[in-house]
Amino acid sequence: METTTTKTADNYWLSSFIYITSTALERAGYYGLRSLIVLYMVGETLQMDHTQALSIYGWLTTIIAITPIIGAVIGDLIIGNKWTAFSGGVLQALGAFVLCVPSLTMFYIGIGLIALGTGLYVPNLMANFGKVQRKRVDHMDGGFTLLYTVINIAAFLGVLALAFLGDIGFAYGFIASGVLLLLASVVLIFTPGKQEIKAVDSNPDPTREKASTPTTGWLMVLIAVALSTVFWALYEMGNGLKMSGMLMELTYQYADRLSTEFLYNVPQYVVIFLGLIGVIAWHITQVDRIVKISLGFVMSSLAFAVLIFIPENSPTILMAILLISALFIGLGEILIAPTINSLITLFSNPKYLAIIFALTYLPFRIAYYLVSLVVEAGYEAPKLGIGITAVLFLLVGIGIFVFYAVTRNSKSTTIQS
């Protein structure tokens, strides 16, 4: 028994490390390449106008939201998650290398391979990582927080490095991206065997969430997906309004003193910093996932509420408020996003985990389209729109906590009876 337990623990840490490393390489290559695509289209080789380039880029991101469903079905039902993710990384790498050939036809083939490869890789990698985390439920939140933090670090460094290479020559950036994506696939070969479907529940606290019936499990998954959609929709709406109208003018007005580039990246820096803290915290202490999500919505509300107080003639206060806002929204993001992934993993049937992860992207794509209409309508009164965003965040956060408190008290009463 001790040997089996030790082997399970060793596989957990080794598999987690391999999947996180693969994800870091893939996300660095993917986001670095995406940062070059539009510039390449409007450059000397393809010579597209900006409108056409942005339209193609928009279609690419839309297709990438759909291809994960294809990849998930292949991974869950046909050849397995590991080899589907492997194939996806290889296809992305091939697409990056194809982009090195300076022709419009090869460009479309390249981005097509990237879109398909991304769909094969992402949901299946998430599914296998989730299956590993099910072996140690007490570490699940910390595991997903680490994965989320590494993704942000990798994306930041990938964009930075490939943008530098792209300035020298687009082919250098595409080749570097292809190498990273290929390495992401190669790393997966070293995962220790087939992931077990059955979880080893090491959760020391029996009062924490656990799906006792299939119906309860599907309900919790639907709730998790709905909360994720609401969070990201409000997040995008608030950010869109923040970067519109007067607030954008104020930021650029003081660009020399505040460094617009730094302010634009601050939320990502905050997420990385808080993510590293969260990884340690969730391995030391256990906090109810619903409470974390509720708190995340409240923190996000504060992030947009403080923007209402931005002055029109004080660059120092403007910078301070933007930094405070970034801190709160970063805290909200790191409390909610990894926790949602934990809930989906915990309450889903692991045999169909990739399909479930893939389907979670669709509601947000629909919500994102609706949010873009709201942002466009709110250009004339951005502070009003930001205030409404803050109120909506707060109402959702309070609603989640009230629901949690009522259902928890109801369960306690039933047990005592």
Side-chain angles (χ1 to χ4, degrees):
M1 181 66 69
E2 184 176 348
T3 303
T4 303
T5 302
T6 302
K7 185 176 180 181
T8 299
D10 290 343
N11 285 350
Y12 168 81
W13 292 111
L14 177 59
S15 296
S16 296
F17 174 77
I18 289 174
Y19 287 132
I20 288 173
T21 301
S22 176
T23 302
L25 292 168
E26 190 272 344
R27 292 289 87 180
Y30 170 77
Y31 281 111
L33 186 145
R34 271 184 56 167
S35 69
L36 299 177
I37 289 292
V38 173
L39 295 175
Y40 179 65
M41 284 190 281
V42 300
E44 295 180 359
T45 302
L46 300 183
Q47 297 182 343
M48 296 183 186
D49 60 59
H50 282 80
T51 302
Q52 183 183 7
L54 291 175
S55 175
I56 293 173
Y57 184 81
W59 276 107
L60 175 63
T61 57
T62 300
I63 292 170
I64 287 175
I66 298 172
T67 54
I69 299 175
I70 299 171
V73 171
I74 294 173
D76 279 346
L77 304 181
I78 302 176
I79 66 174
N81 301 126
K82 175 179 175 178
W83 293 111
T84 306
F86 174 86
S87 302
V90 171
L91 284 178
Q92 287 185 85
L94 182 59
F97 293 139
V98 166
L99 290 176
C100 295
V101 181
S103 105
L104 185 60
T105 300
M106 299 305 285
F107 171 76
Y108 284 122
I109 292 174
I111 62 174
L113 289 171
I114 291 165
L116 179 58
T118 303
L120 294 174
Y121 180 91
V122 174
N124 288 288
L125 192 287
M126 286 292 293
N128 260 0
F129 183 79
K131 290 173 187 177
V132 171
Q133 300 312 303
R134 285 173 65 94
K135 297 177 180 180
R136 297 289 298 273
V137 178
D138 53 325
H139 289 304
M140 185 179 286
D141 288 5
F144 273 109
T145 302
L146 178 59
L147 179 68
Y148 194 82
T149 304
V150 167
I151 288 172
N152 277 275
I153 295 173
F156 174 74
L157 294 178
V159 170
L160 199 66
L162 268 66
F164 172 77
L165 292 173
D167 286 340
I168 300 173
F170 285 109
Y172 294 108
F174 295 147
I175 290 172
S177 173
V179 170
L180 289 171
L181 294 165
L182 198 57
L183 287 174
S185 291
V186 172
V187 167
L188 293 177
I189 297 174
F190 300 98
T191 50
K194 185 179 179 180
Q195 298 302 334
E196 299 175 27
I197 294 297
K198 185 177 179 180
V200 178
D201 190 355
S202 57
N203 188 352
D205 184 356
T207 64
R208 284 166 62 81
E209 310 89 343
K210 188 174 181 180
S212 57
T213 67
T215 302
T216 304
W218 284 113
L219 179 60
M220 285 301 300
V221 169
L222 290 174
I223 291 174
V225 172
L227 290 176
S228 177
T229 302
V230 170
F231 172 75
W232 288 114
L234 290 177
Y235 180 96
E236 292 295 334
M237 183 170 75
N239 272 350
L241 291 168
K242 181 176 72 174
M243 297 307 295
S244 68
M246 181 186 69
L247 296 180
M248 177 181 282
E249 291 175 8
L250 284 173
T251 303
Y252 281 98
Q253 180 181 347
Y254 301 112
D256 292 339
R257 299 178 66 179
L258 302 179
S259 177
T260 304
E261 176 110 11
F262 172 74
L263 288 173
Y264 179 79
N265 288 315
V266 159
Q268 190 172 24
Y269 303 149
V270 171
V271 167
I272 292 171
F273 174 71
L274 293 177
L276 294 173
I277 295 176
V279 171
I280 299 172
W282 307 143
H283 277 85
I284 295 174
T285 184
Q286 303 292 320
V287 179
D288 196 293
R289 295 183 177 97
I290 305 301
V291 173
K292 280 195 283 191
I293 293 173
S294 174
L295 184 60
F297 273 95
V298 173
M299 293 297 102
S300 301
S301 173
L302 292 174
F304 291 103
V306 296
L307 294 176
I308 300 173
F309 300 99
I310 284 181
E312 297 186 24
N313 54 4
S314 177
T316 303
I317 296 177
L318 169 63
M319 182 175 185
I321 289 178
L322 289 174
L323 290 174
I324 292 170
S325 175
L327 178 63
F328 280 128
I329 195 63
L331 184 56
E333 183 178 342
I334 212 65
L335 283 169
I336 291 174
T339 308
I340 291 290
N341 289 332
S342 286
L343 284 175
I344 291 173
T345 300
L346 185 64
F347 288 98
S348 299
N349 184 332
K351 291 183 179 180
Y352 310 111
L353 190 52
I355 294 175
I356 294 168
F357 271 125
L359 290 174
T360 61
Y361 304 141
L362 292 183
F364 171 68
R365 293 303 303 180
I366 297 171
Y368 184 78
Y369 172 74
L370 297 175
V371 162
S372 65
L373 299 179
V374 174
V375 170
E376 186 176 346
Y379 278 171
E380 297 299 323
K383 283 195 174 183
L384 175 61
I386 287 172
I388 293 173
T389 303
V391 170
L392 291 175
F393 264 122
L394 183 62
L395 290 176
V396 174
I398 292 174
I400 293 170
F401 186 78
V402 170
F403 175 78
Y404 165 79
V406 170
T407 54
R408 191 175 181 86
N409 289 336
S410 176
K411 289 179 182 177
S412 299
T413 303
T414 302
I415 293 172
Q416 290 174 3
S417 301

